[in-house]
Amino acid sequence: MELESKHFKSLYKEQIKNQQLRSNLSKATLQAVDKRAESFEEVDFSFLRDEAKKIKQESITHLNEFLSQFEDMAQKNGCKIFYAQTPEKANAYILDAALKHGVRTIVKSKSMVTEEMELVPFLTRNGIDTVETDLGEYIVQLANEKPSHITTPAIHKSRKEIAELFHEKIGSDLNTDPKFLTTEARRVLREKFLSADMGISGANFLIAETGDVVIVENEGNARLSTSAVKVHVVVTGIEKVIPQFSDLRIFMRLLARSSTGQKLTSYVSLIRGPRAKEEKDGPQEVHIVLLDNGRSGLLGTEYQDVLHCIRCGACLNVCPVYRNIGGHAYGSVYPGPIGSLVTPLYYGEKNAPDLPFASSLCGNCTEVCPVGIDIHHHLLALRQEITSSKKSSLEKFLFRNYRKTMLRPGRYKMMGKAARLLSKTGLLRILMKSWTNERDLPEFPSISFRELFKSGRLD
Amino acid sequence: MIQDDREKIFGKIRSGLRGYQKFTFDRSSKSPLKTTLAKNFGTQFEKFKKELAILGGEAVVLNGHSSISQFLLSHIQGSAFIYDETESQFEAVISKIKKSREVKFSSDFENNYDKREVAIFDAAISTCATCSAETGTIVIENQMRLPAALATKLFIIAEPGDLIPSLDELFTDEFRNFKGSNLFLITGPSRTADIEKELVTGVHGPKEVYVIFFQP
Ligand code: SF4
């Protein structure tokens, strides 16, 4: 599989020129950062992060045990479990379930794993009307685009662009008021909920102890996608399992705060299975599809803790690189700092050779990560791996020479002279074009510090 | 039939973790909250009310059945769906609403009822399993999932004993053993900030949320 992330260099160059995108992103992410900080006032963030990290560490180092405990419990609760190594297999299973039930319309709530699988285009190609029901995802689907943020998929779009889109695709009046646009989406999607037979959701957590699927959301679309249907399919990664019900007291306090700056999201559904005998609605079948797709390859490696990620999106909001280039530039389902890790780790470095370099290594991401993933150090380690795997490169040659120059005073003096000469003639700027395109190259002084010192002209 | 990859995935997990040190977490009982609430209803209610109000919801304490029905009638314009549990617990309140509004109960619906039948209600009235003051959260475990998710206005009638101080008391053994197929936590109205981060309520679920504590 070849990913777009391979072409990061050309993708980001396109995106960075888009002033509108940069202003949308900057407004949205800075607001998210402020709200996040405010929301942590009542709770002890470091304590919560330490606990969350330990719970995740326990979950992942005992993954086979907790996964199999979850499987047992969920099956006892009446759910059907399906394990898939690849997106193709998971997609085929879901299509098969849909066909068996004669499903024509599927309502879907937000799930990054289904983006990984390209599930919606797959089902649509197979003749099933599959509708994204999260407002942001719905906007992105109408625009025939991909989400550009983990939790705010249409963060790159302005209200004006959305109004034009709704006007063109669903016949709404050209009104840019977000209230109006939201009501329009509600009108169209309500009808979809009422006619759908199958609902697809992700899962934020799977609880081994009880077999519960935990879904966190704000709009109520996940609740409807999982309740107003005959068949509910949960699609998630194998790493989502946590040991105990009581662990939610930690994660519930962290997830919404890190993600949207709320103390808790508007809705949390704990789904234990299909409708019980005495219940009058809810799905008759619940399928849980557990996808690997490269995750198990991280176990036992130094990057194992990347599997702790709860997809809150906080690292994207604080990242100066993300803020300037947006999610689409990464060419991956997972953008931002976590995407720069996950993409090469899940799909191989060849598929994303430049993503680990898409970071200023400022460490903001690591600081806000609610499960304590050492994101920027992992990025650095990946850079090292990628660079040392190259047999020879201009970069290697330059750094070797840089080292020699710094170790030998005579050589340093000579190189300094050459650099000043090149700078004066403007040649240096031409030679370093790919560097100076996006960065300043300060003018070199006409004489060196050493010469200045020797001449006695220093105060 | 599509063969699943369980064994292959478990094999990979086992080989990945081979020799890797297992970590066992010693679960601490400490709360991450910086301050804990006093154990009386008054203090907890004030916190609950404040949190719900921030989100655009409203919490009140009312003393008599007639004041509850008055509150409900003044807020409901059209029809109302009432959960059977609410009817049996607050019969006096419900009988007044029944007289002046179009009302339906869970028992009016068959198994596999048509979804469109519940999509028409302006309001849903329910009791709750518990309410958490820390975040202004309501927890429900009804026999029908859809009415509370589809109505425009959601009313919860609770008793002082239903209120717990924080999420620490929610994620415990007591609620772990909930009875139905699901537990639903509601914290304010349905909301989105997907368009330029501007907050809009009532996306798919209720636009208005009210919690009435009945204190005889
Ligand atoms: S890496 Fe951390 S901050 Fe980034 S999305 Fe995952 S959990 Fe959130």
Side-chain angles (χ1 to χ4, degrees), chain A residues 150 255 258-259 305-306 308-316 318 335 337-339 341 365-366 368-373 375:
Chain A
I150 295 179
L255 180 53
S258 302
S259 172
D305 68 345
V306 171
H308 296 180
C309 175
I310 55 171
R311 306 278 186 259
C312 69
C315 57
L316 277 68
V318 295
I338 186 63
L341 274 180
C365 47
T366 303
V368 296
C369 179
V371 286
I373 304 174
I375 307 171

Side-chain angles (χ1 to χ4, degrees), chain A residues 106-258:
Chain A
I106 296 179
V107 278
K108 188 184 154 288
S109 61
K110 190 138 55 75
S111 143
M112 295 309 291
V113 178
T114 59
E115 296 288 341
E116 257 179 68
M117 294 156 51
E118 301 193 347
L119 176 64
V120 176
F122 171 79
L123 291 170
T124 313
R125 275 199 305 279
N126 281 283
I128 301 176
D129 177 26
T130 311
V131 191
E132 295 282 4
T133 58
D134 168 85
L135 179 61
E137 292 276 354
Y138 179 60
I139 294 168
V140 167
Q141 187 182 28
L142 282 183
N144 207 7
E145 289 175 4
K146 288 186 176 160
S148 65
H149 190 284
I150 295 179
T151 57
T152 325
I155 198 170
H156 58 289
K157 284 206 149 354
S158 68
R159 60 181 75 196
K160 190 168 164 274
E161 290 167 318
I162 298 166
E164 283 161 6
L165 182 72
F166 277 22
H167 179 64
E168 186 199 328
K169 302 280 178 164
I170 56 171
S172 307
D173 289 344
L174 261 179
N175 183 337
T176 56
D177 180 7
K179 270 199 196 91
F180 170 81
L181 294 167
T182 306
T183 312
E184 282 296 282
R186 179 183 168 118
R187 172 181 63 81
V188 176
L189 293 172
R190 182 55 71 98
E191 188 47 42
K192 295 286 180 189
F193 285 123
L194 296 178
S195 56
D197 296 311
M198 182 187 261
I200 297 177
S201 75
N204 295 89
F205 303 97
L206 305 171
I207 305 174
E209 182 187 29
T210 54
D212 295 347
V213 172
V214 184
I215 304 168
V216 168
E217 54 146 349
N218 272 315
E219 297 181 3
N221 64 309
R223 181 65 177 173
L224 290 172
S225 303
T226 58
S227 302
V229 287
K230 277 191 222 142
V231 186
H232 170 204
V233 182
V234 182
V235 189
T236 193
I238 51 170
E239 82 285 14
K240 288 286 167 69
V241 68
I242 55 169
Q244 297 187 10
F245 180 80
S246 63
D247 295 336
L248 290 178
R249 77 187 186 99
I250 301 298
F251 289 110
M252 286 301 112
R253 284 175 169 128
L254 274 173
L255 180 53
R257 284 182 168 92
S258 302

Side-chain angles (χ1 to χ4, degrees), chain A residues 27-28 31 40-44 47-48 51 54-55 57-58 60-65 67-68 71 82-85 89 92-93 96 133-136 139 152 158-159 162 178-179 181-182 186 189-191 193-196 209-210 212 218-221 223-224 226-228 238 243-249 252-253 262-276 278-284 292 296 299-300 304, chain B residues 1-6 8-10 12-14 16-17 20-35 47 50-51 54-55 84 106-116 119 134-135 137 140 142-152 166-168 170-173 175-207:
Chain A
K27 189 176 156 200
Q31 191 181 325
F40 274 108
E41 278 167 10
E42 265 181 13
V43 290
D44 182 343
F47 173 77
L48 279 168
E51 298 271 298
K54 286 177 192 157
I55 297 170
Q57 231 171 319
E58 182 179 56
I60 298 296
T61 58
H62 296 260
L63 187 57
N64 46 346
E65 294 151 51
L67 210 48
S68 110
E71 179 189 334
F82 185 82
Y83 287 90
Q85 270 194 306
K89 197 124 203 212
Y93 177 81
D96 188 56
T133 58
D134 168 85
L135 179 61
I139 294 168
T152 325
S158 68
R159 60 181 75 196
I162 298 166
K179 270 199 196 91
L181 294 167
T182 306
R186 179 183 168 118
L189 293 172
R190 182 55 71 98
E191 188 47 42
F193 285 123
L194 296 178
S195 56
E209 182 187 29
T210 54
D212 295 347
N218 272 315
E219 297 181 3
N221 64 309
R223 181 65 177 173
L224 290 172
T226 58
S227 302
I238 51 170
Q244 297 187 10
F245 180 80
S246 63
D247 295 336
L248 290 178
R249 77 187 186 99
M252 286 301 112
R253 284 175 169 128
Q262 292 168 271
K263 288 183 185 170
L264 192 62
T265 50
S266 302
Y267 303 114
V268 179
S269 292
L270 279 93
I271 295 175
R272 196 159 281 182
R275 74 165 70 162
E278 62 285 2
E279 292 174 348
K280 290 187 177 162
D281 61 13
Q284 286 147 356
D292 182 347
S296 58
L299 294 168
Q304 181 169 286
Chain B
M1 178 135 149
I2 303 162
Q3 197 63 41
D4 89 354
D5 294 329
R6 186 188 190 281
K8 285 184 201 155
I9 293 177
F10 272 82
K12 277 185 166 184
I13 296 174
R14 274 192 292 268
L17 290 174
Y20 201 91
Q21 195 168 2
K22 301 223 182 246
F23 178 81
T24 304
F25 175 45
D26 175 17
R27 281 170 175 74
S28 136
S29 56
K30 193 183 143 193
S31 171
L33 290 173
K34 286 184 185 157
T35 46
K47 171 73 174 158
K50 186 178 143 210
E51 292 301 328
I54 294 170
L55 303 166
D84 289 351
S106 330
S107 44
D108 296 334
F109 292 85
E110 299 286 319
N111 245 332
N112 294 324
Y113 65 89
D114 181 355
K115 291 182 259 186
R116 287 175 199 275
E134 178 188 340
T135 45
T137 301
I140 60 173
N142 288 318
Q143 289 181 7
M144 277 171 78
R145 297 190 196 185
L146 286 180
L150 284 170
T152 312
S166 76
L167 298 179
D168 291 329
L170 174 60
F171 296 113
T172 55
D173 288 352
F175 294 101
R176 186 187 61 196
N177 302 319
F178 59 84
K179 52 179 193 282
S181 67
N182 73 102
L183 197 67
F184 191 33
L185 279 59
I186 303 169
T187 307
S190 147
R191 52 160 57 196
T192 184
D194 272 349
I195 302 176
E196 287 191 8
K197 287 267 161 199
E198 190 169 311
L199 183 69
V200 181
T201 53
V203 199
H204 296 290
K207 212 178 167 64

Side-chain angles (χ1 to χ4, degrees), chain A residues 24-51:
Chain A
N24 293 354
L25 279 171
S26 165
K27 189 176 156 200
T29 52
L30 292 172
Q31 191 181 325
V33 169
D34 287 348
K35 280 192 75 187
R36 177 195 167 275
E38 216 177 284
S39 72
F40 274 108
E41 278 167 10
E42 265 181 13
V43 290
D44 182 343
F45 174 65
S46 335
F47 173 77
L48 279 168
R49 181 176 52 191
D50 282 356
E51 298 271 298

